[in-house]
Amino acid sequence: MFKTEYVKRVYSEVEAKDPHQPEFLQAVREVLESLEVVAQQNPAIEKNAILERMVEPERLIQFRVSWMDDAGKVQVNRGFRVQFNSAIGPYKGGLRFHPTVTASVVKFLGFEQVLKNSLTGLPMGGAKGGSNFNPKGKSDAEVMRFCQSFMTELTKHIGQFTDVPAGDIGVGGREIGYMYGQYKRLQNEVAGVLTGKGLSYGGSLARTEATGYGLCYYVQEALKVLKSDSFEGKTVVISGSGNVAIFATEKATQLGAKVVALSDSGGYIYDKNGIDLDLVKAIKLERRGRISEYCTQRDAEYHEGKGIWGIPCDIALPCATQNELDGEDAKLLVKNGCIAVAEGANMPCTPEATEYFLEKDVVYAPGKATNAGGVAVSGLEMTQNSMRLAWTFEEVDTRLRDIMINIFQASAQAAEKYGMPGNLLAGANIAGFEKVAAAMLEQGVSY
Ligand code: NDP
Ligand code: 2IT
């Protein structure tokens, strides 16, 4: 609960304006709780209505996306782009294609993206977008027609110096390619307007791996500094089996851990011998199949539904979606000896789970810090596009690792500075906020 009148008022105004946006309210509440102490010590924040401006997006665009399916039927979806904050650079953030996408979901993601992008140290503002379009079960031709229609409207609002979208759930290389092709045709211009592009037309090496790898670099550093420990010999449970989960599995394994479980929205697999990642890649990346198929080829268990957090592990990496790990799951993990939880997904832990981890002294790190490697390498892709150069995998990967270590250090230092040592959640929120707030103050009452 809030302690100061100022923050209490800011939150209740958001609640009154957006009572039907639970995900957005959840994200705002968590951040405001961390920033209360900062606002108390810096009167310029209240005087210049910085928090009021932070919680109000600069622009929210909603649009109709009509397209024709393979049967010749016209389908209608809803598209969004929220351009949340441009204080430190052009808007930047992913696009999500999933039936659960609403204004609330894109606003929570855009709000978090502002602080995440700030933490990377690169000059990027925060944005997010997407559609309630469900790519599952659609043919490539249907996905292409949808993407072309989506981009026909989105193109009016983006640009390499304005807003640079990328992927997120349901948006990978295939979708980025179709959208990029349409942008280029509409604008008659070759520009780094999307990131996560294919390597043959301006993409960056290591962007595909970046979020999962970055997550593990952060955890490795946190374990080293806070516990004099590492991934070596640890048992790891990872939820999801998409882009983030797959490359988190790859890096955790390279760092000496054994990943024993992965999931999708249908259920989870448990392979006590350690996940065979080549098989997962073949199922998920090549065939767009279900994780249950793993058990037809390996001696492993498949369980329908949730329940993945009941598997005993040392380290848990939720990499699927928001609110996938609740208070009960947190209790189970701690009871089974889990020492670290780091978020590959955005807001995967409920507030009850987060609170429990902090209370029990589990190393807990929030997504806006731990999954920032994806957008960081997107920022590096923008740099390479502007320079008309392509760096090697090693060069990008080294920069990624440095950025993740910096994010851990900045978060730990901010937590320490405001009297909450070891609280990497508050630290990330504060470190991300300080730079954005300073930029907003210096630029006056513009937005
Ligand atoms: P993908 O689409 O590649 O994979 C998503 C995975 O999560 C799939 O296994 C999917 O299962 C599962 N999933 C999605 N929605 C749900 C749901 N409602 N319930 C249960 N499982 C679900 O997405 P990414 O790997 O790219 O993204 C995963 C998370 O990481 C998201 O929170 C995203 O915002 C975050 N993230 C992604 C970044 C990136 O660079 N891609 C960067 C930073 C954060 P199924 O196939 O059954 O739907
Ligand atoms: O949540 C995220 O940070 C992403 N989906 C990546 C955004 C990006 O612009 O690369």
Side-chain angles (χ1 to χ4, degrees), residues 76-127:
V76 182
N77 285 101
R78 185 170 276 186
F80 297 96
R81 186 73 179 164
V82 60
Q83 298 177 331
F84 223 104
N85 192 308
S86 60
I88 66 171
Y91 305 111
K92 180 87 195 85
L95 297 169
R96 177 178 290 191
F97 293 169
H98 195 272
T100 56
V101 167
T102 59
S104 173
V105 168
V106 294
K107 279 177 68 184
F108 115 65
L109 290 162
F111 178 68
E112 297 241 298
Q113 199 81 40
V114 175
L115 302 173
K116 182 193 304 189
N117 294 1
S118 167
L119 282 168
T120 66
L122 301 171
M124 300 183 289

Side-chain angles (χ1 to χ4, degrees), residues 92-94 113 116 128 166-168 207 346 374-375 378:
K92 180 87 195 85
Q113 199 81 40
K116 182 193 304 189
K128 202 80 189 189
D168 193 78
R207 175 61 188 90
N346 286 304
V375 75
S378 279

Side-chain angles (χ1 to χ4, degrees), residues 123-176:
M124 300 183 289
K128 202 80 189 189
S131 173
N132 62 350
F133 173 73
N134 185 0
K136 259 188 223 137
K138 304 287 190 301
S139 69
D140 286 351
E142 288 176 322
V143 171
M144 182 176 76
R145 288 194 293 274
F146 173 81
C147 287
Q148 290 174 338
S149 180
F150 184 86
M151 182 51 86
T152 301
E153 175 59 31
L154 190 68
T155 191
K156 298 168 191 165
H157 311 287
I158 63 174
Q160 62 170 326
F161 302 116
T162 314
D163 183 359
V164 181
D168 193 78
I169 292 177
V171 178
R174 174 181 63 171
E175 291 74 18
I176 293 292

Side-chain angles (χ1 to χ4, degrees), residues 199-388:
L199 297 177
S200 59
Y201 60 95
S204 173
L205 284 163
R207 175 61 188 90
T208 308
E209 294 84 355
T211 311
Y213 277 24
L215 169 66
C216 293
Y217 293 147
Y218 181 105
V219 172
Q220 183 83 339
E221 184 68 11
L223 287 176
K224 185 177 98 186
V225 173
L226 301 174
K227 301 262 180 205
S228 305
D229 210 337
S230 75
F231 267 109
E232 190 65 45
K234 298 290 185 299
T235 298
V236 180
V237 167
I238 299 182
S239 64
S241 48
N243 171 267
V244 180
I246 285 175
F247 292 101
T249 302
E250 186 161 288
K251 185 52 72 179
T253 308
Q254 284 171 12
L255 292 170
K258 182 162 81 170
V259 179
V260 295
L262 287 173
S263 66
D264 61 20
S265 56
Y268 66 94
I269 54 166
Y270 172 60
D271 186 339
K272 60 179 185 325
N273 300 314
I275 295 289
D276 176 348
L277 193 59
D278 287 340
L279 177 56
V280 173
K281 283 182 179 174
I283 295 167
K284 283 287 169 179
L285 303 180
E286 284 162 32
R287 300 207 291 276
R288 296 180 189 277
R290 308 305 301 160
I291 200 68
S292 55
E293 293 166 33
Y294 185 92
C295 298
T296 62
Q297 294 176 58
R298 286 291 175 282
D299 179 21
E301 297 169 22
Y302 175 70
H303 299 271
E304 266 179 29
K306 301 187 173 188
I308 190 170
W309 308 119
I311 300 171
C313 64
D314 304 304
I315 298 168
L317 305 176
C319 295
T321 194
Q322 62 271 11
N323 292 324
E324 54 162 312
L325 194 166
D326 64 19
E328 293 307 311
D329 298 324
K331 284 183 189 152
L332 256 182
L333 282 167
V334 173
K335 187 168 121 260
N336 289 333
C338 178
I339 59 162
V341 180
E343 301 182 337
N346 286 304
M347 208 169 74
C349 297
T350 64
E352 294 73 27
T354 303
E355 218 164 281
Y356 192 73
F357 291 138
L358 291 173
E359 191 187 304
K360 294 289 171 191
D361 234 14
V362 170
V363 174
Y364 164 76
K368 63 173 74 69
T370 47
N371 70 36
V375 75
V377 172
S378 279
L380 301 178
E381 182 171 327
M382 290 165 71
T383 305
Q384 293 168 79
N385 291 162
S386 297
M387 297 167 80
R388 302 194 183 284

